[in-house]
Amino acid sequence: MFLKSVFNKSLLLFGLYLITMSVYAQFEWQARDAFDEIKIKYDKVNGDNCPIQHVSDLYLPEDTISHKPDIKEININPIFPNRTALLHMHNMAMSRSFFWSYILQSRFIRPAINDTYDPGMMYYFLSTVADVSANPSINASAVYFAPNSSYTSSYRGFFNKTFPRFGPRTFRLDDFNDPIHLQKISTWNTFDVRDLGAHPPESRSKDYTSELYKINEWYKTWLPDDVEGRHDTKTTYQVEIRYVNNTNETYTFHGPPGADEHPGPIKWTRPYFDCGRSNKWLISAVVPIADIYPRHTQFRHIEYPKYTAIAVLEMDFERIDINQCPKGEGNIGPNHFVDTARCKKETTECEPLHGWGFRRGGYQCRCKPGFRLPNVVRRPYLGEIIERASAEQYYNDYDCLKIGWIQKVPIEWERASYYVREKYLDLHPEYRNASAGASSLHTEFLNIDQALKFIHGVNYRTCKKLAIFHPQDLVLRGDVSFGVEEQFENEAKMAVRLANFISAFLQVSDPNEVYSGKRVADKPLTEDQMIGETLAIVLGDTKVWSAATLWERNKFTNRTYFAPYAYKTELNTRKFKVEDLARLNKTHEMYTEKKFFKFLKQRWSTNFDDLEKFYIKLQIRQNETGEYLQRYEHYPTLYHAANLKHGHWTQPQFDCDGYVKKWLVTYAVPFFGWDSLKVKLEFKGVVAVSMDMLQLDINQCPDWYYEANAFKNTDKCDQKTSYCVPIMGRGYETGGYKCECLQGYEYPFEDLITYYDGQLVEAEFQNLVEDKKTRYDMFKCRLAGASALQVSSFLILSLLGFLFMLKYKLR
């Protein structure tokens, strides 16, 4: 029995050993590559050992983040889906720089007084909180001032004095085990907010301007700003403002570098370990903030524009997708992970996917031209499956089969026969006696060509001609802007951010509060601050054509109505305009009568239970010199605000009498504050942003019956042999798709692609409709493997002999 027991235990241990070895051996066939090197360095550093690590170990190579958004390319080339979060961080940094530059210089609009118009400390703190709370992909936001460059209104007797250091920063906490969450559910809605400029003067390692502060590469990108030679080196932007009393003002302020300048307004840092703070690997977008410095000298010739601060927005490195595909047109570089994909290059080619972050497998292996998938495989091989495969699986599978006989693409073609043309017109009856103009959008079967012809035919010259367009024709159905929630999500987040900030300021900051010592409470929101915040949205995001902050009646300080509306009239400009819509006092012109304003006011008139709760753990400086931090009097504090889902998308509309004469689609989101007794929340107003609908990508592919897409099922793919796949970047035009071959079919032509391009398909179908020369009937996939069948002469003779015998017997 003893020997049997020992044998069983040995057998069990041996079995466990074999299982363990088989798991590790599964990846032994994979050679070590660039991803493994970065992964080792990534795992090496943590919050416990980072203070003693060499500074080089706290940074990853710059090319570990590829395809960074470039402002010079934004309006020219489409942004990859896996870079939309980086693009939004880019735009948010731009917006913050424009706002702080504007508000710090806006005192020149106002009469000179022995006081400062600068925002107080709470404005800075809550502004960085809103940057993070309204944007799930952004994990930290900060404003760092150069030494002795930050003026403030938060201390008595502090006029024309500066903080030695001032660095308000917010980063997102994982509140899974936080005592304030009794459910123990991680909401990611708790924020650590502190002033990083408050530290003992002798502690240089805590000074973000010092060389001993290992992770301050973001600071060195723009600061200190040593201006040499001419002082007028900072880019200027012009704003034409019309106030409620119809007085006009043209204001020019200095801001970050323009898109046409080198290196542009945004600088990206290398991925770095945020040691002692969030203890994560982060990447940041850094943009400078301009001011006139020094101030209040009475000598304007020595007050010159200078970069006095930087806005830094940070994102988790592990959430950013990597591109493992080989070098090519879409992957020019620099890219540290280039050519680390496991696709078999003989028969397949790599295509990146989005949403995988910093891990292997974020790609798929498509068949190269001249090859096809096996009949038992439906879609391209997924990279994650290949990465996890054993050596036996990898070397025996994941190949494409060579196509036997390939046709040449015909050079000449002819008109379709009567029967062929009628067959396709029967499949698309909307092209028989098609309706034109606005009525094309109200037929049973939508003719997409006529509908787009009508939409593109409306412009600022034709919209007022009643003989052509009725006013109701200038308001389209909501399903015409299908995809707006996804494609304009970043722009909607800009509105949510401002609404989030106003809600936070109205609920957290109390202008009547009295503090001990010299510190004073922040003043109420000012007209200049709201104009600057609204304007910053338009300046920061090129897709936003107009933005408005619409206050409810008697909810803004000392004003009955207040509604700053910022807009631009052309792309790539440095001239912008601001109108106070409160000056339009006719009943039908009042902004409070707008449909989206009334809708949101009614929706949020009484019940606020669905609003998000955001918790703030705020630590501020102990005194004006900032020798150490102390907790804010209300610690922790919270506020309620709307999230992205609480907003409202309007129908596309061409406003002939408006300031921006385009097909605009508007997103509006509410903001809230306490009532006069501070016992309950109340609706305070709306933030709205408007985008050009014609910048959307149309989706013509089939979809579920409940999807409100006016253009679905309007593709011209052959449904028996192929299926439709949307292509991004084609805009508000037909042909934004490709026709891929179905399982069991193959692309028959000798070509550099393996699908039929939607633009070519649409053009040839239009030739068919107009009875011109066309090759539309050739856009079909061929039965896979049919070209490889070979018929021998022996088989033919045998078949003929069998037929003769059968005929003889049947006599």
Side-chain angles (χ1 to χ4, degrees):
M1 287 296 293
F2 175 75
L3 291 174
K4 186 176 181 181
S5 176
V6 171
F7 177 76
N8 289 337
K9 288 182 180 179
S10 302
L11 191 63
L12 179 62
L13 291 173
F14 182 70
L16 291 173
Y17 172 77
L18 285 178
I19 293 173
T20 306
M21 288 305 296
S22 65
V23 170
Y24 282 105
Q26 183 178 0
F27 303 99
E28 286 182 356
W29 60 274
Q30 298 179 358
R32 180 170 169 173
D33 57 16
F35 180 88
D36 297 310
E37 296 172 4
I38 298 299
K39 183 64 174 167
I40 291 171
K41 195 169 184 179
Y42 178 90
D43 294 333
K44 177 183 176 182
V45 186
N46 55 50
D48 296 326
N49 63 20
C50 70
I52 60 174
Q53 295 284 353
H54 189 270
V55 64
S56 62
D57 293 329
L58 299 179
Y59 289 92
L60 298 178
E62 189 171 359
D63 59 357
T64 50
I65 301 293
S66 62
H67 305 84
K68 296 170 186 163
D70 186 355
I71 193 171
K72 297 176 174 60
E73 299 287 332
I74 287 176
N75 292 322
I76 301 173
N77 297 323
I79 299 295
F80 294 123
N82 60 5
R83 288 297 178 264
T84 51
L86 273 180
L87 174 63
H88 182 56
M89 189 168 74
H90 172 283
N91 293 340
M92 279 294 303
M94 288 266 296
S95 174
R96 294 298 82 215
S97 171
F98 280 117
F99 169 74
W100 293 118
S101 299
Y102 175 89
I103 203 64
L104 292 177
Q105 299 169 58
S106 65
R107 66 186 182 282
F108 293 114
I109 306 179
R110 304 300 174 207
I113 57 174
N114 287 334
D115 197 357
T116 178
Y117 291 105
D118 290 313
M121 286 195 301
M122 188 61 71
Y123 196 105
Y124 282 94
F125 289 129
L126 296 180
S127 177
T128 58
V129 169
D131 296 342
V132 182
S133 63
N135 302 288
S137 59
I138 295 176
N139 288 323
S141 174
V143 178
Y144 298 96
F145 279 87
N148 297 305
S149 297
S150 173
Y151 297 87
T152 184
S153 59
S154 294
Y155 288 94
R156 295 188 187 90
F158 211 67
F159 173 69
N160 209 21
K161 294 181 181 179
T162 57
F163 287 145
R165 306 286 189 275
F166 185 47
R169 181 176 188 260
T170 296
F171 69 88
R172 191 188 308 272
L173 293 174
D174 184 359
D175 49 10
F176 182 77
N177 286 318
D178 200 295
I180 61 178
H181 289 289
L182 300 178
Q183 299 94 340
K184 300 301 179 184
I185 298 174
S186 181
T187 65
W188 294 98
N189 283 348
T190 301
F191 309 102
D192 182 278
V193 188
R194 60 184 64 192
D195 180 2
L196 297 181
H199 58 82
E202 65 277 4
S203 179
R204 293 188 60 199
S205 62
K206 294 184 178 180
D207 181 3
Y208 57 78
T209 68
S210 169
E211 291 290 337
L212 299 179
Y213 201 90
K214 295 182 180 180
I215 55 171
N216 62 351
E217 188 176 87
W218 28 263
Y219 181 83
K220 301 171 187 175
T221 54
W222 295 104
L223 298 176
D225 183 24
D226 298 322
V227 180
E228 298 179 1
R230 294 173 60 93
H231 285 174
D232 55 348
T233 58
K234 301 299 180 283
T235 308
T236 58
Y237 300 85
Q238 187 182 94
V239 185
E240 297 177 13
I241 306 175
R242 182 181 293 182
Y243 296 100
V244 66
N245 56 3
N246 280 322
T247 59
N248 299 331
E249 184 162 18
T250 300
Y251 173 53
T252 302
F253 68 99
H254 301 274
D260 56 336
E261 299 181 81
H262 183 78
I266 297 291
K267 288 185 179 179
W268 300 92
T269 65
R270 295 179 292 170
Y272 58 93
F273 190 83
D274 196 34
C275 183
R277 307 198 299 180
S278 60
N279 290 324
K280 294 181 178 181
W281 285 96
L282 303 176
I283 179 177
S284 59
V286 189
V287 62
I289 297 170
D291 193 7
I292 306 296
Y293 188 86
R295 297 188 184 181
H296 310 293
T297 64
Q298 306 300 322
F299 301 101
R300 293 300 302 275
H301 64 283
I302 65 172
E303 296 180 4
Y304 60 92
K306 182 181 180 181
Y307 293 147
T308 59
I310 53 173
V312 182
L313 278 86
E314 298 160 303
M315 179 187 294
D316 276 358
F317 169 72
E318 66 179 1
R319 300 185 62 177
I320 301 174
D321 294 342
I322 61 174
N323 190 339
Q324 295 183 250
C325 295
K327 205 165 187 177
E329 288 292 330
N331 189 19
I332 300 175
N335 181 3
H336 197 82
F337 304 105
V338 68
D339 206 12
T340 58
R342 309 291 186 189
C343 293
K344 294 189 175 180
K345 296 181 180 180
E346 298 80 11
T347 63
T348 63
E349 54 190 8
C350 177
E351 181 181 272
L353 303 174
H354 67 277
W356 296 80
F358 178 61
R359 60 190 178 103
R360 289 186 180 274
Y363 59 90
Q364 63 181 8
C365 301
R366 304 177 53 84
C367 292
K368 295 178 73 171
F371 294 86
R372 65 172 178 84
L373 288 169
N375 291 343
V376 294
V377 180
R378 180 173 298 177
R379 295 289 185 267
Y381 300 114
L382 191 61
E384 186 180 30
I385 304 298
I386 298 177
E387 295 281 355
R388 295 180 179 181
S390 64
E392 181 182 359
Q393 289 175 317
Y394 178 75
Y395 290 115
N396 293 329
D397 297 326
Y398 312 119
D399 275 306
C400 288
L401 306 178
K402 188 171 180 60
I403 297 176
W405 177 64
I406 301 178
Q407 299 174 233
K408 290 285 187 181
V409 178
I411 300 175
E412 295 184 2
W413 52 91
E414 55 189 18
R415 290 168 58 185
S417 66
Y418 171 80
Y419 301 101
V420 171
R421 185 169 179 271
E422 289 297 311
K423 178 182 74 171
Y424 288 116
L425 288 179
D426 285 342
L427 291 175
H428 301 277
E430 63 273 15
Y431 284 87
R432 296 184 187 270
N433 301 320
S435 300
S439 59
S440 61
L441 287 167
H442 304 284
T443 57
E444 182 180 0
F445 300 101
L446 181 75
N447 185 319
I448 186 172
D449 293 292
Q450 291 296 332
L452 293 184
K453 185 178 179 180
F454 157 69
I455 292 172
H456 287 294
V458 181
N459 54 52
Y460 68 95
R461 296 188 187 92
T462 61
C463 65
K464 288 191 175 181
K465 296 180 179 179
L466 293 177
I468 303 177
F469 303 116
H470 190 276
Q472 68 182 14
D473 295 338
L474 302 181
V475 180
L476 302 180
R477 295 157 29 187
D479 58 356
V480 173
S481 59
F482 174 78
V484 65
E485 295 90 347
E486 180 182 358
Q487 297 180 45
F488 286 154
E489 181 181 0
N490 286 351
E491 288 67 39
K493 286 179 181 177
M494 300 289 269
V496 174
R497 185 256 156 215
L498 178 52
N500 207 302
F501 164 72
I502 298 175
S503 298
F505 194 90
L506 295 179
Q507 296 172 45
V508 175
S509 178
D510 184 359
N512 298 319
E513 191 159 7
V514 178
Y515 302 108
S516 60
K518 296 181 181 180
R519 183 158 59 94
V520 295
D522 277 29
K523 298 175 183 177
L525 294 172
T526 67
E527 187 179 65
D528 286 337
Q529 289 168 357
M530 289 297 95
I531 290 176
E533 291 281 8
T534 309
L535 180 66
I537 296 178
V538 182
L539 271 74
D541 195 318
T542 57
K543 285 188 177 181
V544 176
W545 281 87
S546 68
T549 306
L550 312 176
W551 287 78
E552 171 66 325
R553 177 184 169 91
N554 292 325
K555 299 305 179 185
F556 190 77
T557 307
N558 299 326
R559 291 285 297 273
T560 305
Y561 292 103
F562 181 51
Y565 175 85
Y567 66 99
K568 59 190 175 189
T569 56
E570 58 180 337
L571 276 176
N572 306 322
T573 182
R574 294 181 185 171
K575 295 182 179 180
F576 302 86
K577 297 183 180 181
V578 175
E579 295 266 353
D580 188 347
L581 298 182
R583 69 182 186 82
L584 306 174
N585 52 17
K586 294 181 181 178
T587 303
H588 68 280
E589 292 179 342
M590 284 298 297
Y591 65 85
T592 53
E593 296 299 314
K594 291 183 179 292
K595 286 185 178 180
F596 64 80
F597 190 94
K598 294 169 72 174
F599 172 82
L600 290 173
K601 181 180 178 180
Q602 292 171 3
R603 163 65 182 86
W604 298 100
S605 58
T606 55
N607 189 354
F608 307 99
D609 293 342
D610 197 34
L611 293 176
E612 290 269 4
K613 291 182 180 179
F614 299 98
Y615 294 86
I616 303 174
K617 296 184 175 182
L618 175 59
Q619 299 184 53
I620 62 175
R621 56 182 57 219
Q622 181 264 346
N623 57 20
E624 54 266 46
T625 57
E627 295 169 357
Y628 61 88
L629 288 172
Q630 69 176 15
R631 290 184 173 182
Y632 179 58
E633 280 75 2
H634 306 283
Y635 181 97
T637 186
L638 73 105
Y639 69 93
H640 303 75
N643 59 29
L644 189 66
K645 295 180 181 179
H646 294 146
H648 173 65
W649 289 95
T650 67
Q651 296 173 255
Q653 182 175 359
F654 196 101
D655 189 0
C656 243
D657 300 320
Y659 300 104
V660 182
K661 293 176 172 57
K662 293 180 178 292
W663 283 109
L664 295 180
V665 57
T666 300
Y667 174 81
V669 62
F671 54 86
F672 308 90
W674 297 115
D675 62 1
S676 57
L677 300 178
K678 288 198 171 184
V679 295
K680 67 174 184 176
L681 291 174
E682 67 178 7
F683 172 83
K684 294 289 187 180
V686 167
V687 177
V689 291
S690 298
M691 288 71 65
D692 183 6
M693 182 189 70
L694 300 186
Q695 290 184 303
L696 288 173
D697 289 332
I698 288 179
N699 188 346
Q700 294 180 245
C701 295
D703 210 337
W704 295 104
Y705 67 92
Y706 51 79
E707 288 292 351
N709 179 6
F711 303 121
K712 66 183 176 184
N713 295 316
T714 60
D715 67 284
K716 307 304 186 298
C717 294
D718 181 59
Q719 296 182 0
K720 293 182 179 179
T721 63
S722 61
Y723 64 97
C724 176
V725 179
I727 296 178
M728 63 170 294
R730 297 287 176 90
Y732 212 77
E733 300 285 349
T734 59
Y737 60 90
K738 57 183 177 180
C739 302
E740 293 271 11
C741 293
L742 285 168
Q743 182 181 6
Y745 290 86
E746 63 190 16
Y747 186 75
F749 295 107
E750 184 181 23
D751 205 345
L752 296 177
I753 56 178
T754 59
Y755 55 85
Y756 298 106
D757 191 285
Q759 289 181 334
L760 181 61
V761 173
E762 291 283 344
E764 293 300 327
F765 182 81
Q766 198 62 35
N767 288 337
L768 179 86
V769 173
E770 298 172 3
D771 203 12
K772 297 179 180 178
K773 291 183 178 180
T774 181
R775 48 178 170 161
Y776 177 73
D777 194 41
M778 300 175 56
F779 294 152
K780 301 176 182 177
C781 293
R782 185 176 63 196
L783 192 63
S787 61
L789 293 177
Q790 296 180 353
V791 182
S792 65
S793 57
F794 175 77
L795 183 60
I796 295 175
L797 292 174
S798 301
L799 182 60
L800 290 174
F802 175 75
L803 290 174
F804 278 118
M805 286 177 59
L806 187 63
K807 185 179 179 182
Y808 178 78
K809 287 186 176 181
L810 291 175
R811 281 186 174 181

